[in-house]
PDB file of all heavy atoms in Angstrom:
ATOM      1  N   SER A 722      58.807  35.945   9.844  1.00 98.00           N
ATOM      2  CA  SER A 722      59.388  37.060   9.093  1.00 98.00           C
ATOM      3  C   SER A 722      58.599  38.347   9.302  1.00 98.00           C
ATOM      4  O   SER A 722      59.127  39.436   9.104  1.00 98.00           O
ATOM      5  CB  SER A 722      59.458  36.710   7.607  1.00 98.00           C
ATOM      6  OG  SER A 722      58.168  36.334   7.152  1.00 98.00           O
ATOM      7  N   ILE A 723      57.323  38.243   9.632  1.00 97.00           N
ATOM      8  CA  ILE A 723      56.615  39.425  10.151  1.00 97.00           C
ATOM      9  C   ILE A 723      55.942  39.001  11.460  1.00 97.00           C
ATOM     10  O   ILE A 723      55.487  37.862  11.590  1.00 97.00           O
ATOM     11  CB  ILE A 723      55.584  40.021   9.155  1.00 97.00           C
ATOM     12  CG1 ILE A 723      54.584  38.984   8.654  1.00 97.00           C
ATOM     13  CG2 ILE A 723      56.271  40.695   7.990  1.00 97.00           C
ATOM     14  CD1 ILE A 723      53.499  39.590   7.770  1.00 97.00           C
ATOM     15  N   SER A 724      55.875  39.924  12.415  1.00 97.00           N
ATOM     16  CA  SER A 724      55.349  39.605  13.750  1.00 97.00           C
ATOM     17  C   SER A 724      53.995  38.944  13.633  1.00 97.00           C
ATOM     18  O   SER A 724      53.110  39.446  12.940  1.00 97.00           O
ATOM     19  CB  SER A 724      55.166  40.881  14.563  1.00 97.00           C
ATOM     20  OG  SER A 724      56.397  41.429  14.891  1.00 97.00           O
ATOM     21  N   GLN A 725      53.837  37.859  14.355  1.00 98.00           N
ATOM     22  CA  GLN A 725      52.570  37.137  14.329  1.00 98.00           C
ATOM     23  C   GLN A 725      51.771  37.415  15.597  1.00 98.00           C
ATOM     24  O   GLN A 725      52.348  37.638  16.662  1.00 98.00           O
ATOM     25  CB  GLN A 725      52.844  35.640  14.191  1.00 98.00           C
ATOM     26  CG  GLN A 725      53.317  35.272  12.795  1.00 98.00           C
ATOM     27  CD  GLN A 725      52.290  35.710  11.762  1.00 98.00           C
ATOM     28  OE1 GLN A 725      51.189  35.192  11.719  1.00 98.00           O
ATOM     29  NE2 GLN A 725      52.651  36.694  10.953  1.00 98.00           N
ATOM     30  N   PRO A 726      50.427  37.382  15.502  1.00 98.00           N
ATOM     31  CA  PRO A 726      49.600  37.646  16.691  1.00 98.00           C
ATOM     32  C   PRO A 726      50.029  36.782  17.874  1.00 98.00           C
ATOM     33  O   PRO A 726      50.467  35.633  17.689  1.00 98.00           O
ATOM     34  CB  PRO A 726      48.196  37.255  16.228  1.00 98.00           C
ATOM     35  CG  PRO A 726      48.225  37.379  14.741  1.00 98.00           C
ATOM     36  CD  PRO A 726      49.627  37.064  14.318  1.00 98.00           C
ATOM     37  N   VAL A 727      49.874  37.319  19.064  1.00 98.00           N
ATOM     38  CA  VAL A 727      50.315  36.583  20.250  1.00 98.00           C
ATOM     39  C   VAL A 727      49.530  35.286  20.413  1.00 98.00           C
ATOM     40  O   VAL A 727      50.003  34.324  21.016  1.00 98.00           O
ATOM     41  CB  VAL A 727      50.209  37.432  21.533  1.00 98.00           C
ATOM     42  CG1 VAL A 727      51.166  38.613  21.469  1.00 98.00           C
ATOM     43  CG2 VAL A 727      48.789  37.914  21.781  1.00 98.00           C
ATOM     44  N   LYS A 728      48.332  35.270  19.875  1.00 98.00           N
ATOM     45  CA  LYS A 728      47.525  34.042  19.830  1.00 98.00           C
ATOM     46  C   LYS A 728      46.541  34.164  18.681  1.00 98.00           C
ATOM     47  O   LYS A 728      46.050  35.256  18.383  1.00 98.00           O
ATOM     48  CB  LYS A 728      46.716  33.871  21.125  1.00 98.00           C
ATOM     49  CG  LYS A 728      47.367  32.993  22.127  1.00 98.00           C
ATOM     50  CD  LYS A 728      46.502  32.829  23.360  1.00 98.00           C
ATOM     51  CE  LYS A 728      47.387  32.852  24.587  1.00 98.00           C
ATOM     52  NZ  LYS A 728      47.247  34.059  25.386  1.00 98.00           N
ATOM     53  N   ARG A 729      46.248  33.024  18.077  1.00 98.00           N
ATOM     54  CA  ARG A 729      45.223  32.983  17.024  1.00 98.00           C
ATOM     55  C   ARG A 729      44.334  31.785  17.294  1.00 98.00           C
ATOM     56  O   ARG A 729      44.837  30.657  17.394  1.00 98.00           O
ATOM     57  CB  ARG A 729      45.843  32.771  15.645  1.00 98.00           C
ATOM     58  CG  ARG A 729      46.686  33.883  15.117  1.00 98.00           C
ATOM     59  CD  ARG A 729      47.130  33.574  13.689  1.00 98.00           C
ATOM     60  NE  ARG A 729      48.063  32.452  13.605  1.00 98.00           N
ATOM     61  CZ  ARG A 729      47.992  31.471  12.712  1.00 98.00           C
ATOM     62  NH1 ARG A 729      47.018  31.422  11.827  1.00 98.00           N
ATOM     63  NH2 ARG A 729      48.890  30.514  12.711  1.00 98.00           N
ATOM     64  N   LEU A 730      43.036  32.006  17.391  1.00 98.00           N
ATOM     65  CA  LEU A 730      42.106  30.879  17.539  1.00 98.00           C
ATOM     66  C   LEU A 730      42.133  30.075  16.249  1.00 98.00           C
ATOM     67  O   LEU A 730      41.967  30.631  15.159  1.00 98.00           O
ATOM     68  CB  LEU A 730      40.688  31.414  17.782  1.00 98.00           C
ATOM     69  CG  LEU A 730      39.604  30.348  18.002  1.00 98.00           C
ATOM     70  CD1 LEU A 730      39.752  29.710  19.381  1.00 98.00           C
ATOM     71  CD2 LEU A 730      38.197  30.962  17.865  1.00 98.00           C
ATOM     72  N   ARG A 731      42.341  28.781  16.353  1.00 98.00           N
ATOM     73  CA  ARG A 731      42.363  27.919  15.163  1.00 98.00           C
ATOM     74  C   ARG A 731      41.473  26.692  15.303  1.00 98.00           C
ATOM     75  O   ARG A 731      41.490  25.823  14.426  1.00 98.00           O
ATOM     76  CB  ARG A 731      43.795  27.468  14.846  1.00 98.00           C
ATOM     77  CG  ARG A 731      44.745  28.574  14.540  1.00 98.00           C
ATOM     78  CD  ARG A 731      44.254  29.491  13.446  1.00 98.00           C
ATOM     79  NE  ARG A 731      43.910  28.781  12.226  1.00 98.00           N
ATOM     80  CZ  ARG A 731      43.326  29.351  11.181  1.00 98.00           C
ATOM     81  NH1 ARG A 731      43.005  30.620  11.205  1.00 98.00           N
ATOM     82  NH2 ARG A 731      43.057  28.638  10.111  1.00 98.00           N
ATOM     83  N   GLY A 732      40.734  26.617  16.372  1.00 98.00           N
ATOM     84  CA  GLY A 732      39.811  25.495  16.504  1.00 98.00           C
ATOM     85  C   GLY A 732      38.989  25.665  17.773  1.00 98.00           C
ATOM     86  O   GLY A 732      39.490  26.223  18.764  1.00 98.00           O
ATOM     87  N   PHE A 733      37.722  25.274  17.722  1.00 98.00           N
ATOM     88  CA  PHE A 733      36.914  25.282  18.932  1.00 98.00           C
ATOM     89  C   PHE A 733      35.800  24.269  18.798  1.00 98.00           C
ATOM     90  O   PHE A 733      35.384  23.919  17.691  1.00 98.00           O
ATOM     91  CB  PHE A 733      36.340  26.686  19.215  1.00 98.00           C
ATOM     92  CG  PHE A 733      35.461  27.238  18.122  1.00 98.00           C
ATOM     93  CD1 PHE A 733      34.100  26.951  18.082  1.00 98.00           C
ATOM     94  CD2 PHE A 733      35.990  28.046  17.126  1.00 98.00           C
ATOM     95  CE1 PHE A 733      33.290  27.466  17.078  1.00 98.00           C
ATOM     96  CE2 PHE A 733      35.178  28.559  16.107  1.00 98.00           C
ATOM     97  CZ  PHE A 733      33.825  28.266  16.091  1.00 98.00           C
ATOM     98  N   GLN A 734      35.373  23.766  19.923  1.00 98.00           N
ATOM     99  CA  GLN A 734      34.288  22.791  19.943  1.00 98.00           C
ATOM    100  C   GLN A 734      33.519  22.968  21.236  1.00 98.00           C
ATOM    101  O   GLN A 734      34.101  22.910  22.325  1.00 98.00           O
ATOM    102  CB  GLN A 734      34.833  21.366  19.859  1.00 98.00           C
ATOM    103  CG  GLN A 734      33.794  20.274  20.003  1.00 98.00           C
ATOM    104  CD  GLN A 734      32.898  20.142  18.772  1.00 98.00           C
ATOM    105  OE1 GLN A 734      33.384  20.169  17.649  1.00 98.00           O
ATOM    106  NE2 GLN A 734      31.603  20.015  19.005  1.00 98.00           N
ATOM    107  N   ARG A 735      32.218  23.182  21.105  1.00 98.00           N
ATOM    108  CA  ARG A 735      31.371  23.269  22.295  1.00 98.00           C
ATOM    109  C   ARG A 735      30.883  21.864  22.632  1.00 98.00           C
ATOM    110  O   ARG A 735      30.357  21.159  21.764  1.00 98.00           O
ATOM    111  CB  ARG A 735      30.194  24.202  22.022  1.00 98.00           C
ATOM    112  CG  ARG A 735      29.284  24.383  23.219  1.00 98.00           C
ATOM    113  CD  ARG A 735      28.378  25.570  23.031  1.00 98.00           C
ATOM    114  NE  ARG A 735      27.416  25.659  24.110  1.00 98.00           N
ATOM    115  CZ  ARG A 735      26.772  26.765  24.440  1.00 98.00           C
ATOM    116  NH1 ARG A 735      27.001  27.885  23.770  1.00 98.00           N
ATOM    117  NH2 ARG A 735      25.903  26.777  25.423  1.00 98.00           N
ATOM    118  N   VAL A 736      31.072  21.466  23.865  1.00 98.00           N
ATOM    119  CA  VAL A 736      30.644  20.123  24.281  1.00 98.00           C
ATOM    120  C   VAL A 736      29.724  20.238  25.495  1.00 98.00           C
ATOM    121  O   VAL A 736      29.820  21.185  26.279  1.00 98.00           O
ATOM    122  CB  VAL A 736      31.846  19.221  24.649  1.00 98.00           C
ATOM    123  CG1 VAL A 736      32.752  19.008  23.456  1.00 98.00           C
ATOM    124  CG2 VAL A 736      32.639  19.785  25.811  1.00 98.00           C
ATOM    125  N   THR A 737      28.848  19.274  25.612  1.00 98.00           N
ATOM    126  CA  THR A 737      27.990  19.178  26.794  1.00 98.00           C
ATOM    127  C   THR A 737      28.417  17.946  27.569  1.00 98.00           C
ATOM    128  O   THR A 737      28.518  16.856  26.987  1.00 98.00           O
ATOM    129  CB  THR A 737      26.509  19.035  26.382  1.00 98.00           C
ATOM    130  OG1 THR A 737      26.163  20.138  25.561  1.00 98.00           O
ATOM    131  CG2 THR A 737      25.595  19.010  27.607  1.00 98.00           C
ATOM    132  N   LEU A 738      28.700  18.118  28.857  1.00 98.00           N
ATOM    133  CA  LEU A 738      29.161  16.987  29.660  1.00 98.00           C
ATOM    134  C   LEU A 738      28.386  16.921  30.969  1.00 98.00           C
ATOM    135  O   LEU A 738      28.156  17.955  31.610  1.00 98.00           O
ATOM    136  CB  LEU A 738      30.658  17.134  29.982  1.00 98.00           C
ATOM    137  CG  LEU A 738      31.635  16.999  28.811  1.00 98.00           C
ATOM    138  CD1 LEU A 738      33.046  17.355  29.270  1.00 98.00           C
ATOM    139  CD2 LEU A 738      31.603  15.587  28.227  1.00 98.00           C
TER     140      LEU A 738
END
Side-chain angles (χ1 to χ4, degrees):
S722 55
I723 54 175
S724 291
Q725 287 303 294
V727 295
K728 264 182 220 109
R729 293 185 292 135
L730 182 73
R731 299 307 306 173
F733 59 87
Q734 175 73 44
R735 182 165 174 159
V736 298
T737 303
L738 292 172

